[in-house]
Amino acid sequence: MSPLGAALLATSGLVAVPQIAFAQAAPVEQPAAAPVPAGDVIRTVTVQGSQRLEPDTILSYIRLRPGQTYTQVTGDQALKDLYATELFADVSIRNNGGDVVVQVKENPVINRIILEGNKRLKEDKILPEIKLAARQIFTRSKVRADVSRIIELYKRQGRFAASVEPKMVMLDQNRVDIVFEISEGPKSKVRQINILGNEKFSDGDLRGQMVTKQARFFRLFSSGTSYDPDRLAFDQQKLRQFYLTEGYADFRVVSAVAELTPDKRDFIITYVVEEGDRYKFGDVKVDSQLRDFDSDKLAANLPMKAGDWYNAKLVEDQVDALTETAGAFGYAFADVRPDFSRNKDDLTMSVNFRIAEAPRTYVERVDVNGNTLTQDKVVRREFRIAEGDAFNTFQIKRSTNRIKSLGYFQEKFEVEQKPGSAPDRIILEANVEEKPTGELQLSAGFSSLESFIFQGSIRQNNFRGRGQTIGLSVDYSRYTRSVQVSFTEPYLFDKNISFGMDVYRRDLNSFNFQNQNRNTTYKQATTGFSARVGVPLTEFMSLIGRYTFNIDDVTLDEDSFFINGQCSSLLAGRYLCDAIGKRTSSILGASLVYDTLDNRMRPTRGNQVIIGADFAGLGGSVKYARITANASKFWSVGSGFIFSVRGEGGAIKPLSSRSNDPTVDDVYLTDRFFLGEPQIRGFDIRGVGPRVLRKTIINGVEATDRNQWVDDAVGGKYYYLTRAELEIPLGSGARELGLRPSIYVDAGAAWGITNPLAANLVNPQSIYTDRLTGRPTSSPTAADGQSNGDPVQTFNEVFVGNSPAPRIAVGIGVNWNSPFGPFRLDFAKVLKKVDGDDPKTFTFNVGTQF
């Protein structure tokens, strides 16, 4: 037993749990036997009034027999015996000069059981728990027992004000319906928690250690405010544990009393505690009988030192640490026990960690059980230890985590350790419980980014039980459409080499905003495939090589942006005219991945670093070099809080020149980095970085309302993004709903693009309608020399946002795994921005991942 567990068991406290008394129906008064003269000899015994029961059966329950002497005592005893059978509603006995008549009225037969008023507990939860059932004989004792049982079921739900009133409805043929009228009442809450005897710590500090919480409006979704006797006992252990970690080794809970208020709606809990004196560590030693362990060196590395405040949790952690260390050296059955020596005079607690002698252990064999679909090799290849190897606890733990990460088996999987055929042998068992690995997902929703969204995917993560993944996904929205087929083999030819391939088609409609309307600017259609191969370098590091081939076709609406068959920079902007056309990209890339996350879907601790490099130019018409880096770290900071930091960045360098025009950047628009929602919250989609703004001029005055401008993001050749986020835990009720709020700060920038506007650009600029062709033109006169009239649009065109200065936003967000898909809400406040950036306070997304 652990020292902390032993200390917890040393405390004895009285727990008073309220007993609820329920009204019970008074038993039927048994009529006394008619007075008869003593000494009559019984000649005959007959039964009258029986319907279902045979007279001989009824007579078998009593002791009256012909030839016996009938007395008052024997008559009373016969009545008691018949009522004890609970088969009769009424019984009487008459003696007519030795002829004894037993008059009975049988209890009715139950026709059906009816529950009324039960909303919180359904019939399928109550009926199996009660004794009465259809076609049974009705008895009052069973009714009273069932009433108590139903009330007990509601008490387990925290509804101590529940009441049950049984009623009987008489039917023909001596049948009855039993009706339980249930008043469920409200859930009994903990109104107040009182603590008496605490001087070193405040009531608030101690209440914070408890699982049970006082009912308050801000704990609307918390289940900890309901009264639970088991939780009351657990809270006493939590108090004991808290004081032991603070050095109060003599602490004990004198009593814990829960009182139900008169209206049965709330509980008031009162703890009486005795804190005692605070202790410090005395001498801390290690006495090791293992030949590989030096006791003095182990003692020197212990975290606790003489003079430090005593902490029982630190002692328990060190027992685990020494056990793991022994296991890492092959001692699977090492026994580490702390011996305590308490000195009440100087208030010190000396500890001696004794490590008993044990044989070095080797793995005799590895067994895999419970896998019906998954092949043995899929599990065995995740083991970091093989048969015949020396036992190693770290390798066992790593093997457990790798098997869990497959996602094929139950969540609470552990590699079990069992004694082998000899004291120095151990058997490792992977007792797996398979779960469905096929996924079919269909979702529809609405987002502030994509308007209407439809997503569908089908994926099998353990195809044919070989650990392969195969999938098909389709995305459709107002501005994007894509279809992708993917395949991944984690162990190619049973070697520790992964292989994957994706084939896809993606159609993207880019856009800008004008007068609060989202307008399509260019369309990009990408068809291609990607192949990748991964090789592990170490246990936590791997190298992934990839090859991608894309065919891109970028087009513009000729009716909106072309004049005389040519793309007009006045209508579309130079940056869009340069982007149109067909091109191919042949990209060779590699990524170095370091990953120690405990869960890739929702990590709580660990690190991840990814460094990637791509080279486009092995054929194709696009040539560039690109490098990206992404790093994140997660900490579990206690009490359910998860803190994370993340940083990423990238740069792209062209390897060929596209034009001698100084306004044409050598990196295509579609290959640049864009930043905004959802990468950096607090800004609109593509709301950070270089952009061209066309500020409309109305009546000679430049419009100040951004909704009246044309806003085109043009991306950057460099970017960085940082994020710090703290996930805040809620009560168990909110966790069951899938609510996960967080507070965060985001910062980032994108920059480095060539100014797409001509150096000699003169503002303002105007667009006219040609009076002869009806098409847009920059000329105020038509070909016949006549005026084209007033301009349809006048604007100033500026290039802004091309700065590496950080844009900073803080905010609060909520993730909700709703029944209709993931849902995310964000409220953000921009603290720093650059001229041209497009901030956005509120964003939401439904029906798609983030």
Side-chain angles (χ1 to χ4, degrees), residues 112-232:
R112 57 177 178 164
I113 304 295
I114 302 173
L115 303 177
E116 294 183 354
N118 57 310
K119 297 180 180 179
R120 301 295 179 178
L121 281 178
K122 301 303 180 183
E123 291 187 0
D124 60 346
K125 300 294 184 182
I126 298 178
L127 292 178
E129 298 291 334
I130 61 179
K131 295 182 178 180
L132 290 177
R135 295 183 296 278
Q136 289 186 354
I137 303 299
F138 166 83
T139 65
R140 294 182 181 274
S141 62
K142 288 184 179 179
V143 172
R144 291 193 295 269
D146 286 345
V147 168
S148 299
R149 181 59 179 161
I150 294 172
I151 291 177
E152 181 63 28
L153 291 176
Y154 276 98
K155 288 168 63 177
R156 291 183 180 179
Q157 297 289 326
R159 299 181 183 276
F160 285 80
S163 62
V164 180
E165 183 178 353
K167 292 186 177 180
M168 182 172 63
V169 179
M170 298 300 301
L171 305 174
D172 57 359
Q173 299 180 354
N174 200 21
R175 296 175 303 130
V176 292
D177 286 342
I178 305 300
V179 181
F180 291 103
E181 293 186 352
I182 302 172
S183 175
E184 296 180 316
K187 218 169 190 182
S188 300
K189 301 292 186 180
V190 176
R191 178 188 299 177
Q192 189 172 345
I193 299 176
N194 299 321
I195 304 174
L196 306 178
N198 55 311
E199 297 178 356
K200 305 299 182 182
F201 299 97
S202 67
D203 288 2
D205 290 337
L206 299 184
R207 291 191 193 107
Q209 302 300 319
M210 300 178 185
V211 177
T212 304
K213 304 296 182 183
Q214 298 180 132
R216 298 294 184 266
F217 73 92
F218 53 84
R219 296 195 178 106
L220 178 64
F221 296 105
S222 174
S223 61
T225 58
S226 300
Y227 171 73
D228 186 338
D230 296 332
R231 198 153 47 207
L232 185 70

Side-chain angles (χ1 to χ4, degrees), residues 278-505:
R278 192 178 189 188
Y279 285 73
K280 292 185 176 181
F281 278 109
D283 294 333
V284 183
K285 301 178 181 179
V286 177
D287 183 8
S288 174
Q289 303 298 319
L290 300 178
R291 65 176 182 270
D292 295 317
F293 283 25
D294 187 297
S295 299
D296 294 335
K297 289 184 178 179
L298 288 175
N301 291 323
L302 293 176
M304 69 282 287
K305 305 297 179 184
D308 295 344
W309 290 114
Y310 173 71
N311 187 331
K313 183 65 166 61
L314 196 59
V315 175
E316 182 172 325
D317 292 343
Q318 198 55 36
V319 170
D320 294 338
L322 289 173
T323 303
E324 283 196 4
T325 302
F329 282 85
Y331 298 98
F333 305 108
D335 183 15
V336 181
R337 296 186 180 182
D339 291 339
F340 298 91
S341 179
R342 183 180 317 202
N343 189 328
K344 293 189 176 182
D345 295 331
D346 58 6
L347 298 178
T348 60
M349 182 78 73
S350 298
V351 184
N352 185 13
F353 295 94
R354 296 186 179 274
I355 307 177
E357 186 176 1
R360 189 185 294 275
T361 311
Y362 296 87
V363 178
E364 180 174 340
R365 70 174 187 269
V366 177
D367 293 336
V368 179
N369 306 318
N371 54 315
T372 56
L373 172 66
T374 307
Q375 297 183 6
D376 270 17
K377 66 178 183 180
V378 174
V379 181
R380 291 182 178 275
R381 65 196 183 192
E382 301 302 328
F383 272 90
R384 303 295 94 181
I385 191 169
E387 296 171 347
D389 290 349
F391 179 83
N392 188 306
T393 52
F394 295 106
Q395 299 289 15
I396 298 298
K397 183 180 294 186
R398 178 60 180 165
S399 300
T400 299
N401 290 336
R402 287 182 64 93
I403 295 174
K404 282 182 180 179
S405 297
L406 292 174
Y408 307 155
F409 311 113
Q410 74 276 21
E411 296 293 332
K412 296 182 179 180
F413 167 79
E414 295 290 341
V415 175
E416 298 183 14
Q417 306 167 19
K418 294 187 176 181
S421 59
D424 62 344
R425 296 290 184 267
I426 191 170
I427 298 173
L428 302 180
E429 284 192 358
N431 296 313
V432 299
E433 180 182 339
E434 292 182 328
K435 63 181 183 181
T437 55
E439 297 180 6
L440 174 62
Q441 295 182 348
L442 296 174
S443 63
F446 182 87
S447 81
S448 57
L449 303 184
E450 295 289 346
S451 188
F452 175 78
I453 296 172
F454 172 79
Q455 292 181 315
S457 66
I458 182 170
R459 183 172 65 175
Q460 175 56 255
N461 294 321
N462 189 14
F463 185 59
R464 299 186 300 167
R466 298 174 176 268
Q468 300 167 340
T469 300
I470 186 170
L472 169 67
S473 64
V474 177
D475 292 348
Y476 181 90
S477 71
R478 184 178 177 185
Y479 295 101
T480 60
R481 299 170 182 83
S482 68
V483 60
Q484 177 170 313
V485 179
S486 59
F487 173 79
T488 301
E489 167 59 77
Y491 283 80
L492 187 63
F493 306 122
D494 291 330
K495 304 295 183 181
N496 198 5
I497 300 174
S498 64
F499 171 79
M501 175 173 284
D502 301 314
V503 180
Y504 47 84
R505 167 64 184 241

Side-chain angles (χ1 to χ4, degrees), residues 464-622:
R464 299 186 300 167
R466 298 174 176 268
Q468 300 167 340
T469 300
I470 186 170
L472 169 67
S473 64
V474 177
D475 292 348
Y476 181 90
S477 71
R478 184 178 177 185
Y479 295 101
T480 60
R481 299 170 182 83
S482 68
V483 60
Q484 177 170 313
V485 179
S486 59
F487 173 79
T488 301
E489 167 59 77
Y491 283 80
L492 187 63
F493 306 122
D494 291 330
K495 304 295 183 181
N496 198 5
I497 300 174
S498 64
F499 171 79
M501 175 173 284
D502 301 314
V503 180
Y504 47 84
R505 167 64 184 241
R506 304 180 185 126
D507 291 329
L508 167 68
N509 293 346
S510 189
F511 56 89
N512 60 21
F513 288 97
Q514 183 178 15
N515 298 330
Q516 296 184 329
N517 294 322
R518 180 168 171 168
N519 304 315
T520 298
T521 52
Y522 68 88
K523 297 180 180 180
Q524 178 182 358
T526 301
T527 304
F529 74 91
S530 176
R532 57 194 176 276
V533 176
V535 180
L537 302 180
T538 67
E539 183 61 30
F540 300 101
M541 185 178 294
S542 59
L543 179 65
I544 301 175
R546 58 184 175 272
Y547 175 76
T548 303
F549 183 81
N550 290 332
I551 302 175
D552 293 304
D553 185 10
V554 180
T555 59
L556 285 172
D557 183 8
E558 294 188 7
D559 291 337
S560 301
F561 302 106
F562 278 55
I563 297 178
N564 297 326
Q566 298 293 324
C567 179
S568 170
S569 60
L570 179 67
L571 300 179
R574 171 78 68 177
Y575 52 94
L576 285 183
C577 291
D578 293 334
I580 62 175
K582 292 185 178 181
R583 49 186 171 271
T584 57
S585 301
S586 177
I587 308 169
L588 185 66
S591 293
L592 185 65
V593 181
Y594 176 77
D595 190 345
T596 63
L597 297 179
D598 61 341
N599 189 317
R600 294 182 181 178
M601 297 300 295
R602 189 185 171 192
T604 61
R605 61 175 60 86
N607 310 305
Q608 185 183 70
V609 179
I610 303 175
I611 300 175
D614 293 286
F615 171 74
L618 297 176
S621 57
V622 177

